[in-house]
Amino acid sequence: MLFRLLVPLGLLCALLPLHHGAPGPDGTAPDPAHYRERVKAMFYHAYDSYLENAFPYDELRPLTCDGHDTWGSFSLTLIDALDTLLILGNVSEFQRVVEVLQDNVDFDIDVNASVFETNIRAFQTPTGMPYGTVNLLHGVNPGETPVTCTAGIGTFIVEFATLSSLTGDPVFEDVARVALMRLWESRSDIGLVGNHIDVLTGKWVAQDAGIGAGVDSYFEYLVKGAILLQDKKLMAMFLEYNKAIRNYTRFDDWYLWVQMYKGTVSMPVFQSLEAYWPGLQSLIGDIDNAMRTFLNYYTVWKQFGGLPEFYNIPQGYTVEKREGYPLRPELIESAMYLYRATGDPTLLELGRDAVESIEKISKVECGFATIKDLRDHKLDNRMESFFLAETVKYLYLLFDPTNFIHNNGSTFDEVITPYGECILGAGGYIFNTEAHPIDPAALHCCRRLKEEQWEVEALMREFYSLKRNRSRFQRKTVSSGPWEPPTGRFSSPENHDRTGEKKPAKQKMPLLSCPSQPFTAKLALLGQVFLDSS
């Protein structure tokens, strides 16, 4: 099962509840309401263009108004856009698309797919670290290379631990933990990991150490896995890495690439993928360092109207053949986290600049095109799925302070089941590396005992159908403060009239193990997370 991509499609119990103006003059903070509507319009321009011109292909080609397959031939953009629809308040379109995908998408196909990009299987190696590519029908090809990037090994614990909780089968979490530990055991004497490793021998093939491409989401998942699973060991591992990263790769609040065994500089470049780092720093409360690094990255954005893939720090300019900006989300992601933590209007200014730049440079008749070269604004014929999954989503959340994703715990859903009370939707959502949010409470509330038999589809219907059968579950909202969820503004009213919808056929009630003891979770508070150690 393609779990990273199926996060917005199948395991919805673990994810999400259903639920004008103009910018100010120069010198004032951008008006969030104005830019929120601009971002929503961006989403629907891209989303509608994909549906009209590219579906069922993976991605839209916006310059030729057609589609092509990229990561596996399973309508990737539509799957990736699912929970963005919910965050924008479009519940009816979300439900329609879920039905379309359930009826039309088949993952048992003879296609080679990236394990990292699709998050599936291939962990049967001598080291326990997975191959980088797997065939969805036949498994690992006999001639498959054993060399895998660090991120491709260490970016499973969030989804696989969720999958183990919801299925009752520990094997998913177990293999993800083994892979994490093998990377940890393979670090150098100075505490760094390289970029690529041979999963059969455990020997490093590329020995450049940094926080960017090939490594990035490994560090991200140590932190997010620690938060999601209340796992002190994972957090301790990250903090040890963080010390080594500061000691050997940080220079004037930039992060360079160094040789993993010696700590000598190998590449004095900033990669656009590294822009997630300030957001990750905010999750561990390191706000001052996060803001300083963010401001460095923001200066690059101002210089080009986007982040080039590589930026030579000493020269202050792009790197040859790395001048493009494929509408990546990482700097916007960090702005969203840091704005929740600080309220600094500079972060809204980045959001404003992103909206203006993307619309001015990248918008075409059929969506938004990758910027091939930030120097002359030449475009490339591709709109990657993460534009709808991440870039637009983080922009919208930056400008929507009352979105249910930002709930600080003052409002939650109390679900009464035959097994006790469950709390859902209390906040503290954990975004996976493709920006699909997971409700940490659901890992406890929706835990499945192995001997119990139920289907994810039935669970989804019980929790998220607008016409739910209330005799099975009693659901109520409890509020302990002034926070209120959004009213559910829809962009396309013609798609949202579900009054004539028939009730789904009655299905067997899912059997849940829902302990009545209080859930001790790390909840998001001003963008930071804290452990309830009681």
Side-chain angles (χ1 to χ4, degrees):
M1 182 167 55
L2 305 171
F3 192 70
R4 178 171 294 123
L5 301 178
L6 284 182
V7 162
L9 174 59
L11 303 179
L12 297 177
C13 175
L15 301 182
L16 302 167
L18 293 182
H19 310 294
H20 339 319
D26 291 343
T28 63
D31 177 21
H34 169 80
Y35 280 98
R36 186 165 61 244
E37 295 307 310
R38 292 268 299 274
V39 173
K40 181 182 288 187
M42 289 171 60
F43 173 84
Y44 284 108
H45 177 64
Y47 179 76
D48 292 343
S49 295
Y50 168 78
L51 290 180
E52 293 170 6
N53 299 288
F55 179 79
Y57 291 103
D58 280 341
E59 291 181 349
L60 169 68
R61 298 202 302 176
L63 301 184
T64 52
C65 298
D66 57 12
H68 66 148
D69 286 330
T70 52
W71 293 115
S73 188
F74 38 72
S75 304
L76 173 62
T77 293
L78 193 57
I79 293 175
D80 252 352
L82 266 179
D83 49 40
T84 307
L85 287 167
L86 285 184
I87 286 174
L88 268 59
N90 196 338
V91 177
S92 60
E93 175 66 359
F94 167 84
Q95 293 175 322
R96 185 191 72 82
V97 172
V98 168
E99 294 174 1
V100 168
L101 290 170
Q102 287 179 325
D103 292 341
N104 294 283
V105 174
D106 181 10
F107 294 112
D108 291 323
I109 51 179
D110 188 8
V111 169
N112 293 330
S114 164
V115 177
F116 171 73
E117 296 292 345
T118 52
N119 198 331
I120 45 177
R121 55 199 180 273
F123 287 82
Q124 295 180 351
T125 66
T127 63
M129 295 185 284
Y131 282 94
T133 302
V134 67
N135 184 281
L136 300 185
L137 189 62
H138 303 296
V140 178
N141 290 324
E144 177 61 35
T145 176
V147 177
T148 306
C149 70
T150 303
I153 295 167
T155 310
F156 294 93
I157 190 64
V158 169
E159 295 90 351
F160 275 29
T162 299
L163 189 58
S164 284
S165 290
L166 299 185
T167 64
D169 188 344
V171 66
F172 306 106
E173 182 174 345
D174 288 348
V175 296
R177 286 187 178 276
V178 168
L180 287 177
M181 288 307 302
R182 294 299 176 265
L183 283 176
W184 173 251
E185 293 164 357
S186 300
R187 70 195 188 281
S188 69
D189 290 340
I190 61 174
L192 297 173
V193 289
N195 200 276
H196 283 75
I197 194 170
D198 188 313
V199 300
L200 299 181
T201 66
K203 293 184 178 180
W204 290 101
V205 176
Q207 299 180 0
D208 295 304
I211 61 171
V215 184
D216 46 7
S217 52
Y218 171 45
F219 297 136
E220 177 189 0
Y221 270 39
L222 288 176
V223 173
K224 292 181 175 179
I227 297 167
L228 182 67
L229 304 174
Q230 310 283 279
D231 192 311
K232 295 180 179 179
K233 186 172 183 179
L234 293 181
M235 183 61 76
M237 290 163 64
F238 174 78
L239 294 177
E240 282 299 310
Y241 278 130
N242 197 34
K243 291 179 184 177
I245 289 167
R246 288 187 182 184
N247 288 339
Y248 294 100
T249 75
R250 186 174 70 166
F251 295 87
D252 294 331
D253 298 309
W254 295 94
Y255 291 85
L256 312 183
W257 288 83
V258 302
Q259 211 281 340
M260 64 175 289
Y261 293 104
K262 301 176 182 178
T264 53
V265 174
S266 58
M267 293 189 295
V269 300
F270 157 61
Q271 299 178 350
S272 62
L273 286 170
E274 296 171 11
Y276 79 99
W277 188 256
L280 195 65
Q281 287 177 301
S282 76
L283 287 179
I284 63 170
D286 192 4
I287 303 299
D288 290 342
N289 283 320
M291 280 300 298
R292 288 197 294 269
T293 297
F294 175 87
L295 292 175
N296 277 349
Y297 298 167
Y298 189 14
T299 61
V300 180
W301 183 288
K302 290 179 178 179
Q303 184 178 353
F304 296 101
L307 290 186
E309 294 287 68
F310 282 24
Y311 178 83
N312 187 301
I313 297 171
Q315 295 180 2
Y317 206 63
T318 60
V319 175
E320 186 178 1
K321 297 183 180 180
R322 294 293 188 273
E323 304 94 347
Y325 172 55
L327 311 183
R328 292 197 187 278
E330 283 77 15
L331 189 61
I332 300 163
E333 172 188 0
S334 286
M336 188 274 291
Y337 279 117
L338 283 168
Y339 186 68
R340 300 300 300 171
T342 68
D344 189 328
T346 302
L347 300 153
L348 293 181
E349 293 171 9
L350 177 278
R352 173 202 64 200
D353 292 350
V355 171
E356 300 293 349
S357 293
I358 291 171
E359 286 203 326
K360 180 179 179 181
I361 303 171
S362 177
K363 187 176 182 180
V364 294
E365 180 180 356
C366 296
F368 292 86
T370 286
I371 302 172
K372 186 175 183 179
D373 193 327
L374 280 167
R375 299 170 301 176
D376 56 17
H377 296 172
K378 289 181 180 178
L379 300 179
D380 201 3
N381 194 19
R382 187 175 185 186
M383 186 183 81
E384 299 206 43
S385 69
F386 59 67
F387 179 67
L388 294 181
E390 302 182 72
T391 307
V392 172
K393 182 182 295 167
Y394 285 130
L395 272 173
Y396 191 81
L397 289 173
L398 175 63
F399 291 119
D400 190 13
T402 62
N403 196 281
F404 71 88
I405 286 290
H406 296 318
N407 183 5
N408 63 5
S410 59
T411 299
F412 52 88
D413 296 323
E414 181 180 353
V415 181
I416 310 300
T417 80
Y419 303 94
E421 296 181 355
C422 278
I423 301 299
L424 294 174
Y429 293 94
I430 303 299
F431 285 103
N432 80 344
T433 197
E434 195 73 7
H436 300 309
I438 298 175
D439 184 347
L443 270 66
H444 297 251
C445 185
C446 302
R447 183 178 298 274
R448 176 190 173 190
L449 299 181
K450 193 167 186 177
E451 65 273 12
E452 295 170 344
Q453 300 298 317
W454 55 276
E455 297 181 352
V456 168
E457 290 84 355
L459 181 64
M460 179 181 68
R461 290 179 185 275
E462 295 295 345
F463 277 90
Y464 299 107
S465 172
L466 293 178
K467 302 292 185 180
R468 65 171 58 87
N469 186 337
R470 293 185 179 275
S471 66
R472 302 175 190 170
F473 288 98
Q474 178 184 359
R475 180 176 180 271
K476 62 182 180 179
T477 298
V478 180
S479 179
S480 60
W483 188 91
E484 294 181 358
T487 57
R489 301 177 299 277
F490 296 159
S491 174
S492 304
E494 66 273 14
N495 293 331
H496 308 140
D497 184 5
R498 307 286 287 186
T499 56
E501 180 185 39
K502 294 181 180 180
K503 292 184 178 181
K506 185 175 181 179
Q507 301 206 9
K508 180 180 178 182
M509 173 167 171
L511 301 175
L512 301 180
S513 172
C514 296
S516 58
Q517 66 267 25
F519 170 60
T520 58
K522 291 176 179 176
L523 297 180
L525 180 61
L526 297 179
Q528 300 178 56
V529 291
F530 303 90
L531 175 63
D532 180 353
S533 58
S534 60

